[in-house]
Amino acid sequence: MAAGGVAAALLAAGALRFGSFVLKSGIASPVYVDLRGLVSHPGLLRQVLAPGGEPLVADLLFQTAKDAGLEYDCVCGVPYTALPLATIICSEKQVPMLIRRKEAKDYGTKRLVEGTINPGETCLIIEDVVTSGSSVLETAEVLQKEGLKVTDAVVLLDREQGGKARLEERGIRLHPVCTLSGLLDILQQQGEVDAEMVEKVKDFIRGNVFEPVAQNGPAPMKRICKELSFRARAELPGVHPVAARLFTLMEKKQTNLCLSADVTGSKELLQLAASLGPSICILKTHIDILNDFTQEVVKELRALADRHEFLIFEDRKFADIGNTVKHQYEGGMFKIASWSDIVNAHVVPGSGVVKGLKEVGLPLQRGCLLIAEMSSQGSLAMGKYTEAAVQMAEENSDFVFGFISGSRVSKKPEFLHITPGVQLQAGGDDLGQRYLSPKEVISERGSDIIVVGRGILSASDRLQEGEKYRKAAWESYISRLGGHV
């Protein structure tokens, strides 16, 4: 029985665990499936048992395709976990293989698909686990752009959370070796898991299903999606150290307000940091507009940040080639990396801009925000540009921990979203700046932190006005959580 073979393989590799786990989506799950460890168990990847024994992972995938009567010319494994599975199948069954890159290299052929591509041929996709089907769809899109036909995908485990229906809506038939509920039944029969846990997992599956959406429609949404608190997000495995610090101090100080200190004198900058420091989580600077900048100024600013527990964000908007931004970040008269916790960058130059900044910032435990959207009228930072920013962030999550955006652009709770252009009353100015209210940004658009400049700086009582914004943003966050943390 296929499910029995999968159950044995997953248990042997420690790839199937029960308990309480926070998934990438931010949802707490009673079951965790992680097949990446299979690569360290070569005997589980291919058939190594005696004749008459049960076939293992790669053989099960191949047999599932054969039993379904699928005809195909080549095979492509979804990166990265399915790559070794596809490799074994293609090697042993003598089927041509294609490799899909997650990102194009900025040298060589710069191709997203490696291998011999013959437009018009049919490519079978191999995947390890399907939840929403997004990874299969992404791979299919890349292959289809190369002129290949994609009609079927074979998966080891279908979590039964809507991926199959979503793929079928896009014209791709999903053929699972086994389903999660079927696997649970086998494990219960074998005494590996009790009836209470089986029912708990099945309830979770039924309550967390990705709804099919029309082609070119919005991203899939779950029927139930629990919003995580900042405290819970700080404890997520793999969260960036800067993000963890920020989440933690936001909860401690009950503030998700960033002050945009766009002033031209160092005395005023330090006064703002001293007076409003207790009310903010981030102080954003444009250090190059100071008329009297010295390293002593940033030394004092750093001391105020440590005293009042806020982070410093130099809004430099790096946008050059890697080698140039590396020097801009590390050297020059400002020496930004030596004092600023956070910087940001445009994605226009490509991944080189992040790589250059990372070389300097990573050893110092600094973090970077990518500009995914802008608040100015007529901005070109939208659509494909925004998608590219999210992809670049995910590929560099050891340094990039969030986005400058007008709304939530990534569903991964490890990433922070920071929104500029906020005032208590929505509106705009004569130079194309559009203003949103804290409630619209935090409660409705799903951002985490509001950035306020002129709304506070133009007030006669800056401290009082800052407190108004802090309370408005924090109350909107509490409302988003359902009224409690």
Side-chain angles (χ1 to χ4, degrees):
M1 181 185 292
V6 174
L10 296 188
L11 288 175
L16 181 64
R17 288 179 282 170
F18 299 93
S20 180
F21 309 92
V22 177
L23 304 180
K24 278 288 187 182
S25 61
I27 289 182
S29 169
V31 63
Y32 186 61
V33 183
D34 183 3
L35 301 189
R36 288 171 290 189
L38 279 177
V39 296
S40 298
H41 300 267
L44 300 177
L45 292 175
R46 60 185 298 276
Q47 187 171 1
V48 294
L49 300 183
E54 200 162 25
L56 294 183
V57 178
D59 300 278
L60 288 169
L61 288 162
F62 178 78
Q63 192 61 45
T64 298
K66 185 176 180 181
D67 292 345
L70 303 184
E71 295 183 359
Y72 48 93
D73 304 293
C74 55
V75 166
C76 181
V78 175
Y80 290 105
T81 309
L83 285 177
L85 300 174
T87 301
I88 292 172
I89 291 171
C90 293
S91 176
E92 296 197 349
K93 308 302 180 182
Q94 293 297 290
V95 180
M97 177 178 167
L98 298 176
I99 297 176
R100 175 210 153 196
R101 292 185 180 274
K102 279 200 170 184
E103 70 283 333
K105 299 296 183 183
D106 53 6
Y107 55 85
T109 62
K110 303 182 181 180
R111 295 172 61 179
L112 278 172
V113 181
E114 301 292 350
T116 302
I117 300 171
N118 298 310
E121 289 189 344
T122 299
C123 184
L124 174 67
I125 291 178
I126 301 291
E127 176 65 303
D128 60 331
V129 180
V130 163
T131 304
S132 70
S134 295
S135 295
V136 172
L137 286 173
E138 290 170 5
T139 299
E141 182 180 356
V142 171
L143 295 170
Q144 288 164 345
K145 286 181 179 178
E146 298 287 344
L148 296 166
K149 299 175 184 177
V150 179
T151 57
D152 297 271
V154 178
V155 63
L156 184 64
L157 179 64
D158 178 8
R159 287 185 60 120
E160 303 172 286
Q161 290 179 248
K164 185 173 184 178
R166 186 169 180 242
L167 288 169
E168 287 179 353
E169 189 179 58
R170 302 293 186 93
I172 300 174
R173 296 180 293 269
L174 185 68
H175 308 272
V177 172
C178 65
T179 60
L180 183 54
S181 59
L183 198 63
L184 289 168
D185 292 338
I186 293 292
L187 292 172
Q188 185 179 355
Q189 292 170 15
Q190 295 174 347
E192 299 287 352
V193 61
D194 59 36
E196 182 181 354
M197 179 57 73
V198 169
E199 193 56 36
K200 187 175 182 180
V201 174
K202 288 185 176 180
D203 284 343
F204 171 79
I205 294 171
R206 288 189 289 266
N208 292 274
V209 176
F210 285 84
E211 300 286 3
V213 293
Q215 193 162 0
N216 298 322
M221 297 296 292
K222 293 189 183 75
R223 283 201 286 259
I224 295 177
C225 185
K226 180 182 176 184
E227 183 75 32
L228 290 180
S229 68
F230 294 147
R231 181 181 294 109
R233 290 165 70 182
E235 297 172 356
L236 288 172
V239 69
H240 192 282
V242 172
R245 284 172 57 202
L246 193 48
F247 283 133
T248 301
L249 72 86
M250 286 160 69
E251 282 283 4
K252 179 181 178 180
K253 297 174 65 177
Q254 295 193 354
T255 178
N256 49 341
L257 169 64
C258 168
L259 173 65
S260 182
D262 296 337
V263 295
T264 58
S266 60
K267 183 178 179 180
E268 185 178 6
L269 173 64
L270 295 174
Q271 286 174 340
L272 283 171
S275 60
L276 285 163
S279 299
I280 63 177
C281 61
I282 298 173
L283 183 124
K284 184 175 76 71
T285 61
H286 279 296
I287 207 67
D288 56 352
I289 69 173
L290 285 183
N291 295 324
D292 53 353
F293 171 83
T294 65
Q295 283 297 320
E296 189 62 31
V297 172
V298 288
K299 183 179 178 181
E300 290 184 42
L301 184 62
R302 183 72 262 166
L304 288 167
D306 295 339
R307 183 185 312 160
H308 296 301
E309 295 185 282
F310 62 81
L311 301 188
I312 302 174
F313 166 26
E314 167 55 23
D315 190 6
R316 180 62 177 78
K317 296 185 179 70
F318 291 101
D320 216 315
I321 61 173
N323 188 60
T324 299
V325 299
K326 177 181 176 181
H327 292 297
Q328 290 174 328
Y329 187 23
E330 183 178 37
M333 66 180 294
F334 299 119
K335 296 180 174 58
I336 296 168
S338 68
W339 51 269
S340 181
D341 302 291
I342 306 165
V343 291
N344 57 354
H346 287 289
V347 300
V348 172
S351 60
V353 67
V354 175
K355 292 176 182 176
L357 294 172
K358 188 194 300 189
E359 283 189 22
V360 176
L362 197 60
L364 298 173
Q365 288 198 313
R366 304 305 192 197
C368 180
L369 301 167
L370 293 185
I371 300 167
E373 295 175 333
M374 294 187 72
S375 57
S376 53
Q377 186 176 4
S379 169
L380 300 179
M382 61 179 68
K384 292 293 184 182
Y385 182 96
T386 301
E387 292 174 13
V390 173
Q391 182 177 343
M392 193 180 296
E394 292 176 351
E395 291 167 358
N396 295 276
S397 59
D398 57 342
F399 183 57
V400 177
F401 70 94
F403 306 94
I404 301 296
S405 59
S407 60
R408 185 179 299 184
V409 297
S410 170
K411 294 184 181 299
K412 294 186 176 181
E414 294 89 342
F415 286 123
L416 271 150
H417 294 79
I418 301 178
T419 300
V422 177
Q423 290 200 358
L424 291 175
Q425 299 297 323
D429 65 14
D430 295 335
L431 298 177
Q433 175 67 290
R434 296 172 296 173
Y435 293 111
L436 302 171
S437 70
K439 180 181 178 181
E440 183 176 1
V441 168
I442 304 297
S443 296
E444 299 173 15
R445 297 189 173 213
S447 192
D448 299 307
I449 297 172
I450 63 169
V451 181
V452 183
R454 279 176 277 182
I456 293 174
L457 299 183
S458 62
S460 57
D461 189 332
R462 291 174 169 178
L463 180 57
Q464 183 182 60
E465 197 69 9
E467 270 298 294
K468 288 182 182 179
Y469 276 98
R470 184 197 65 78
K471 289 179 181 178
W474 191 256
E475 287 171 2
S476 296
Y477 158 67
I478 296 299
S479 173
R480 192 174 82 192
L481 291 179
H484 63 278
V485 179

